[in-house]
Amino acid sequence: MNTQDQHGRGRPNPVKGPRLRGPRLVAAGAAALALSAGLASPLGPASQRAEAKESGKVLTVAVAQSVDSLSPFLATRLVSTSMHRLTYEYLTNYDPGDARAVPGLATKWSSSPDKLTWTYTIRSDSRWSDGEQATAEDAAWTFNKMMTDDGAATANGSFVTNFRKVTAPSPTELVIELKKPQATMTALDVPIVPRHVWEKVTDFSEFNNDKSFPVVGNGPFVLTGYKADSYVRLKANKNFWRGAPKFDELVFRYYKDQDAAVAALRKGEVSFVAGSPSLTPAQAASLKGEKNIRVNDAPGRRFYALATNPGARSKDGERFGDGDPSLLDQRVRNALFLAVDRRTIIDKVFRGHAVEGEGYIPPRFSTYFWKPSASQELAYDPTKAARLLDEAGYRKNSDGKRVGKDGKPLDYRILCHATDPNDKAVGKYLQEWWGELGIGVKLNCLDNVTDPWLAGTYDLAFDGWSVNPDPDFVLSIHTCGALPATPEDTGATDNFICDKEYDELYARQLAEYDPAKRADIVKQMESRLYDLGYMNVMAYPNAVEAYRTDQIESITTMPRKAGNIYGQDGYWSWWSAVPADSGDSSGSGGSSGDGGSTGAVIGVVAGVVVLAGAGAFLAMRRRATADDRE
């Protein structure tokens, strides 16, 4: 999904876009977790220009995903969770260079010898934007609310299911007691909220945090305005402990039409374009070489997949939706994926701005990257696909259509994001490839794929998630525990997958502190997910985005050497961005770990660079499928 718009890639938690939230892999080395200690270590162009004169330097970002919720307890889409990274501090952050854990709201941390008690020192120099001191009590209240209120656990509940008790013995000390060891204790991607504000909320499942502004937070920016499907406006937090951003205001403007967003970049009406979530090859090519525009093309943190409906169900065992029952047969699922030519998708759809998909975690996160063995791989083989369909009892009739013993033809509906040109392009290939097998394909391209996705009224769907530096979150969305409690509820599940063997592996990796052993278990999980055939990862798209150099002089990518700007695991890009006319190209100075910006000027990274040796880079982020369902 999309970690970041879910259902899309991100969905209610990624951006489904499915994908959205959507967005958590953690560096293996970092996840070694330094067990005994933490590192102490739309506005129109005219009105926008008028506002810039009043409020100072404005950085405007064009996005192709709409906000699902401004509540950090509900949001799963990449655009929404990115806002929360900017407005609330998490206990820890990820270094933009190697993704190791660095201080956030917590300045240091340590575990007991049995690793069942974790103690975090909360910084004393972080204040909420209304002037109140941010304390350990705010963090304890945030976690306790998620532990006791199902509505508050909607987006990030998987992080606290293993918590036994959370207390704040003092304003600067947070203590978390666990039921059993948990390897994500330096990668708790949970926004900490101010208790004195949020304790007034009566129904966390319904409160979207979008009626009263400014929103009280303690991140580098303060959320000051929002209009659905139009814009989100943030103001620099001049009292941010790490230092104030150099831009006075940050505006995310929504464009349903990506070509219109690119045109706005050319005109200087926006400073940056991220795409949905990336620019198309044609758009990127048209921008390269243009005056005052720089294209960033780097290995991405997302995967692009095709998911099958495994028979939507809830925790109480009730089946719902109308997925085609033929897809419950693994031979049919494998046949479909054997008839997908990944090489053609990379060459013809992504035009080389991606690498072929294999396992669930992108190669950028080398520690957890897995690929099937030669005997296990479902490589492009239409002949074998036809044979599997025959074996499953779906043979061609006189009209060349695949039919079951009941005479019913195989005709599949595929959920498609109307705003994603890749979905439509790949869909046309599927109609051709599967049509040759005798299978009918209907693309159901919608602005809102979330509703049918959650209702289970689909056969297959384009899916994708942004992966974080710790793999737990993206792994958790395929567990039985992520299913909705009842058909009427919304769970954290990406695609209703529920498999006992996978769940057992998930529990083992979560309790394993040894980085190498944990990575091995995660790869076993990827292998199991691959064999089940419910999720076909077709590609790992590059992060292809562009910005105006006459508006932005420098900005930090993640990873620093060759990474993305939009949708980072952290706030480095927008916090570090230096206005072109500021006379300061050094960012805030220093390293991210000790409070400074990396301020790196990025250039065009051509082709696909696979980062090797990023042992600390694990990779999984929140929902990311809706479009980041992410």
Side-chain angles (χ1 to χ4, degrees):
M1 308 191 137
N2 283 305
T3 199
Q4 307 195 353
D5 165 349
Q6 231 206 318
H7 275 86
R9 292 166 172 127
R11 85 208 277 204
N13 203 114
V15 186
K16 254 169 156 179
R19 320 163 164 79
L20 303 172
R21 228 290 100 329
R24 295 173 167 144
L25 268 166
V26 98
L33 295 169
L35 293 180
S36 56
L39 299 178
S41 59
L43 299 172
S47 60
Q48 181 183 340
R49 286 194 293 271
E51 181 174 307
K53 288 183 178 180
E54 295 177 8
S55 60
K57 302 180 185 301
V58 180
L59 194 165
T60 303
V61 178
V63 295
Q65 186 180 64
S66 60
V67 171
D68 56 338
S69 177
L70 289 180
S71 165
F73 296 99
L74 300 179
T76 60
R77 292 183 179 178
L78 179 60
V79 66
S80 308
T81 57
S82 294
M83 303 299 170
H84 294 139
R85 276 284 185 188
L86 297 170
T87 54
Y88 299 102
E89 274 282 33
Y90 297 25
L91 289 181
T92 61
N93 210 326
Y94 301 104
D95 184 272
D98 58 10
R100 75 186 189 279
V102 295
L105 184 59
T107 60
K108 60 182 179 180
W109 44 88
S110 61
S111 69
S112 59
D114 62 5
K115 303 179 180 64
L116 293 178
T117 301
W118 284 76
T119 302
Y120 301 81
T121 299
I122 303 302
R123 65 176 58 258
S124 58
D125 56 350
S126 177
R127 304 193 75 83
W128 299 110
S129 53
D130 63 0
E132 295 286 329
Q133 178 71 41
T135 70
E137 179 55 36
D138 294 305
W141 185 88
T142 299
F143 290 125
N144 278 305
K145 177 56 65 174
M146 292 168 59
M147 293 164 62
T148 58
D149 187 315
D150 288 341
T154 300
N156 300 304
S158 63
F159 284 110
V160 302
T161 54
N162 183 45
F163 286 13
R164 182 186 301 280
K165 184 179 180 182
V166 182
T167 57
S170 76
T172 59
E173 184 180 7
L174 175 73
V175 178
I176 300 178
E177 298 176 32
L178 305 174
K179 300 172 186 176
K180 55 186 177 182
Q182 179 170 324
T184 62
M185 298 307 290
T186 60
L188 297 174
D189 291 337
V190 176
I192 303 302
V193 303
R195 174 177 181 171
H196 66 282
V197 173
W198 283 84
E199 64 184 356
K200 301 172 186 176
V201 175
T202 56
D203 188 346
F204 280 77
S205 66
E206 296 294 334
F207 182 69
N208 282 313
N209 198 29
D210 58 0
K211 303 302 180 186
S212 179
F213 299 94
V215 173
V216 178
N218 63 340
F221 290 89
V222 177
L223 183 55
T224 59
Y226 166 70
K227 182 177 181 180
D229 296 327
S230 183
Y231 66 85
V232 178
R233 186 182 299 116
L234 304 100
K235 184 178 181 180
N237 181 359
K238 300 301 183 181
N239 297 314
F240 184 51
W241 69 269
R242 200 184 289 271
K246 291 214 167 25
F247 276 93
D248 299 293
E249 193 167 23
L250 177 62
V251 177
F252 289 85
R253 195 193 305 173
Y254 172 70
Y255 286 84
K256 182 177 180 180
D257 185 314
Q258 190 163 304
D259 286 331
V262 172
L265 181 75
R266 283 196 173 92
K267 296 175 184 176
E269 296 172 359
V270 300
S271 314
F272 177 95
V273 173
S276 61
S278 294
L279 297 179
T280 67
Q283 290 166 341
S286 72
L287 291 173
K288 287 183 179 179
E290 285 217 8
K291 184 180 180 181
N292 297 325
I293 292 180
R294 179 167 293 160
V295 175
N296 182 50
D297 185 349
R301 56 191 285 253
R302 293 175 51 79
F303 64 79
Y304 181 76
L306 189 63
T308 61
N309 186 337
R313 57 175 156 167
S314 51
K315 289 179 183 177
D316 62 9
E318 184 174 350
R319 297 278 181 173
F320 58 94
D322 60 2
D324 196 301
S326 65
L327 294 171
L328 300 180
D329 190 323
Q330 185 173 337
R331 293 170 296 183
V332 174
R333 299 193 299 270
N334 287 348
L336 293 178
F337 298 155
L338 284 166
V340 173
D341 186 350
R342 291 171 173 81
R343 188 69 256 164
T344 292
I345 291 174
I346 300 303
D347 294 341
K348 302 298 185 181
V349 177
F350 290 97
R351 305 290 180 87
H353 297 275
V355 295
E356 288 187 50
E358 296 175 299
Y360 192 63
I361 298 174
R364 164 168 155 176
F365 304 103
S366 59
T367 298
Y368 295 102
F369 178 62
W370 169 89
K371 57 193 309 180
S373 63
S375 61
Q376 183 182 19
E377 184 181 9
L378 296 173
Y380 183 56
D381 190 340
T383 301
K384 185 176 180 180
R387 186 167 62 251
L388 279 178
L389 290 171
D390 288 341
E391 293 175 1
Y394 296 93
R395 296 180 177 275
K396 285 187 176 182
N397 62 14
S398 58
D399 296 325
K401 288 283 296 181
R402 291 278 173 181
V403 297
K405 294 179 181 179
D406 58 1
K408 181 181 178 181
L410 291 185
D411 288 306
Y412 295 133
R413 303 157 300 164
I414 303 180
L415 269 181
C416 159
H417 301 87
T419 58
D420 192 335
N422 292 329
D423 284 5
K424 297 175 183 177
V426 174
K428 290 181 179 179
Y429 278 110
L430 295 178
Q431 289 175 323
E432 174 186 339
W433 295 329
W434 293 358
E436 293 174 356
L437 286 176
I439 298 173
V441 174
K442 178 183 178 181
L443 294 179
N444 189 17
C445 295
L446 306 171
D447 289 333
N448 172 23
V449 301
T450 298
D451 290 344
W453 197 304
L454 294 177
T457 53
Y458 66 97
D459 298 321
L460 299 104
F462 289 104
D463 197 353
W465 286 86
S466 293
V467 175
N468 280 0
D470 188 272
D472 181 72
F473 178 84
V474 177
L475 299 175
S476 73
I477 59 179
H478 296 306
T479 61
C480 300
L483 294 174
T486 71
E488 290 71 36
D489 293 311
T490 297
T493 183
D494 172 37
N495 198 47
F496 303 103
I497 295 173
C498 177
D499 176 71
K500 182 178 179 181
E501 181 177 331
Y502 180 90
D503 276 18
E504 291 173 349
L505 289 169
Y506 173 78
R508 286 176 53 199
Q509 69 80 29
L510 184 59
E512 182 55 70
Y513 282 91
D514 182 278
K517 292 180 180 178
R518 186 183 183 212
D520 180 66
I521 299 171
V522 169
K523 291 176 182 178
Q524 292 178 52
M525 295 178 70
E526 294 183 78
S527 178
R528 178 62 179 171
L529 200 58
Y530 185 92
D531 288 342
L532 287 173
Y534 292 119
M535 185 75 65
N536 176 26
V537 177
M538 298 180 288
Y540 307 115
N542 282 15
V544 186
E545 48 203 2
Y547 68 94
R548 293 197 62 92
T549 56
D550 57 350
Q551 295 185 24
I552 303 174
E553 180 174 313
S554 66
I555 195 167
T556 298
T557 61
M558 185 176 185
R560 190 180 296 115
K561 292 183 179 179
N564 55 292
I565 297 173
Y566 178 72
Q568 294 182 356
D569 291 300
Y571 42 64
W572 311 115
S573 55
W574 313 124
W575 172 71
S576 71
V578 176
D581 58 354
S582 70
D584 179 1
S585 61
S586 63
S588 298
S591 69
S592 62
D594 55 17
S597 160
T598 56
V601 178
I602 63 176
V604 178
V605 181
V608 178
V609 181
V610 177
L611 299 181
F617 244 58
L618 282 183
M620 293 186 124
R621 182 188 158 39
R622 322 181 27 111
R623 294 147 145 210
T625 211
D627 177 40
D628 237 12
R629 259 166 219 160
E630 257 190 0

